[in-house]
Amino acid sequence: MEVKVLSYTQNPEVTCAVAMRSTRTREPAHKLIEREWRTKCDLPNFTYENRCRSLETHMQCPHFSFCAVRLLKNAKKMNHWGVFEHATFTVSVSGVSRALTHQLVRHRLASYSQQSQRQVKIDTNEDWYIKPPSIKDGQRFDMLMGEIAKCYQKYVDDGVPEEDARFVLPNACKTNIVITANAREWFHMFKLRTDEQSQWEIRRMFQQILEELMMISPLIFEGIIFGEKS
Ligand SMILES: Cc1cc2nc3c(=O)[nH]c(=O)nc-3n(C[C@H](O)[C@H](O)[C@H](O)COP(=O)(O)OP(=O)(O)OC[C@H]3O[C@@H](n4cnc5c(N)ncnc54)[C@H](O)[C@@H]3O)c2cc1C
């Protein structure tokens, strides 16, 4: 499985923080964004862990009104989730099973573009399926996949269109997908799908995406409760 961030809203943390601030002041967001915004707390004793300090400490800070750290923390605390809809992130995922994407697309507030089995012929000479780690009897599994591959290939060679030949393909079949969602929806999907109740492959994918997005926007994505690592 490969996960790559394709693109995202410019300055996602400041964009969301400006949106938050604009709900609490007469100044419009397009003026607010021209201010000197802070995405790190530079008060004495600052560390990554304690950057969300108490309100009293923050009030003494000269950057109080334009501190994205404080504003985003407060937005989460008061369930002001709409603020996080102003930043979107687009991620490309490859080499996951159709079993995974079937679960993924149930999250209807995200947008998807998935490799088509109607238009793209599966190359069964390549590594074309996922074998779950719980299947210890790998040989039998591989043999079955080999039989399916032969059958699929024969149908295609005999002129059956890919859209019909694919009916023999399994859930294990690899696919690629592009996902776009706003930060609020990512947050929601991370909560559901990094939980240990979730299926191992989708959990692994969301853990990888979360790690990528955390590097881009720690202020937005901090506070996700990670399920058990798979
Ligand atoms: C561990 C796990 C196991 C699962 N097992 C199954 C399963 O066995 N079978 C199965 O079919 N699905 C299963 N699902 C899928 C699950 O039921 C949801 O469809 C999926 O997680 C998408 O949820 P969502 O909150 O992102 O919903 P979305 O459908 O994307 O909706 C987004 C949000 O809009 C709101 N919303 C949407 N529609 C309505 C509505 N009609 N009424 C009220 N509020 C609404 C909710 O707040 C929801 O969170 C499972 C999911 C998980 C995480």
Side-chain angles (χ1 to χ4, degrees):
M1 172 192 313
E2 238 191 322
V3 165
K4 297 266 182 229
V5 176
L6 290 186
S7 60
Y8 52 93
T9 303
Q10 204 180 356
N11 295 331
E13 294 175 336
V14 171
T15 301
C16 294
V18 165
M20 173 66 181
R21 183 77 189 120
S22 74
T23 67
R24 298 290 185 272
T25 178
R26 289 194 192 88
E27 214 173 337
H30 60 274
K31 293 276 179 214
L32 288 170
I33 202 153
E34 291 166 6
R35 305 288 198 136
E36 197 185 331
W37 281 86
R38 296 296 161 123
T39 52
K40 286 206 164 72
C41 180
D42 50 9
L43 289 173
N45 306 323
F46 167 82
T47 65
Y48 189 85
E49 288 71 29
N50 78 358
R51 63 192 169 158
C52 297
R53 305 155 77 91
S54 69
L55 188 62
E56 299 79 63
T57 320
H58 266 301
M59 286 180 86
Q60 295 155 18
C61 174
H63 309 291
F64 180 78
S65 298
F66 307 105
C67 175
V69 180
R70 179 185 70 85
L71 284 162
L72 295 184
K73 172 92 174 162
N74 279 358
K76 285 180 197 169
K77 212 161 129 190
M78 66 173 74
N79 296 320
H80 202 337
W81 296 113
V83 160
F84 296 96
E85 293 172 19
H86 299 292
T88 62
F89 298 81
T90 298
V91 176
S92 163
V93 179
S94 63
V96 292
S97 72
R98 282 242 160 199
L100 181 152
T101 56
H102 185 74
Q103 299 171 80
L104 173 66
V105 299
R106 297 297 301 279
H107 298 289
R108 291 174 285 180
L109 302 187
S111 307
Y112 307 97
S113 299
Q114 181 166 15
Q115 184 186 52
S116 166
Q117 280 188 341
R118 291 185 70 201
Q119 309 296 336
V120 182
K121 184 176 158 287
I122 303 296
D123 185 353
T124 51
N125 294 317
E126 291 211 336
D127 183 16
W128 64 278
Y129 60 87
I130 299 283
K131 183 160 47 176
S134 62
I135 293 184
K136 303 294 177 221
D137 182 7
Q139 231 178 349
R140 202 157 72 158
F141 189 85
D142 291 333
M143 266 172 55
L144 182 58
M145 293 298 132
E147 285 305 310
I148 289 172
K150 269 192 248 164
C151 179
Y152 173 77
Q153 193 56 54
K154 177 89 174 66
Y155 282 143
V156 173
D157 292 346
D158 290 350
V160 174
E162 277 90 352
E163 69 173 13
D164 290 340
R166 69 175 165 165
F167 275 64
V168 300
L169 295 173
N171 271 334
C173 201
K174 280 188 179 173
T175 186
N176 304 331
I177 193 162
V178 176
I179 315 163
T180 298
N182 64 49
R184 180 185 187 175
E185 180 62 7
W186 279 116
F187 212 87
H188 172 69
M189 293 191 288
F190 289 140
K191 287 244 174 198
L192 291 184
R193 299 296 184 177
T194 60
D195 187 88
E196 61 183 16
Q197 292 295 318
S198 267
Q199 182 255 350
W200 65 270
E201 191 189 13
I202 198 166
R203 199 162 79 222
R204 201 172 281 176
M205 182 194 77
F206 273 110
Q207 282 167 351
Q208 280 190 36
I209 297 174
L210 177 54
E211 280 163 24
E212 295 289 321
L213 298 192
M214 270 293 280
M215 280 194 276
I216 297 165
S217 293
L219 295 186
I220 290 177
F221 292 104
E222 70 180 358
I224 305 284
I225 302 157
F226 255 105
E228 191 189 324
K229 278 260 185 194
S230 43

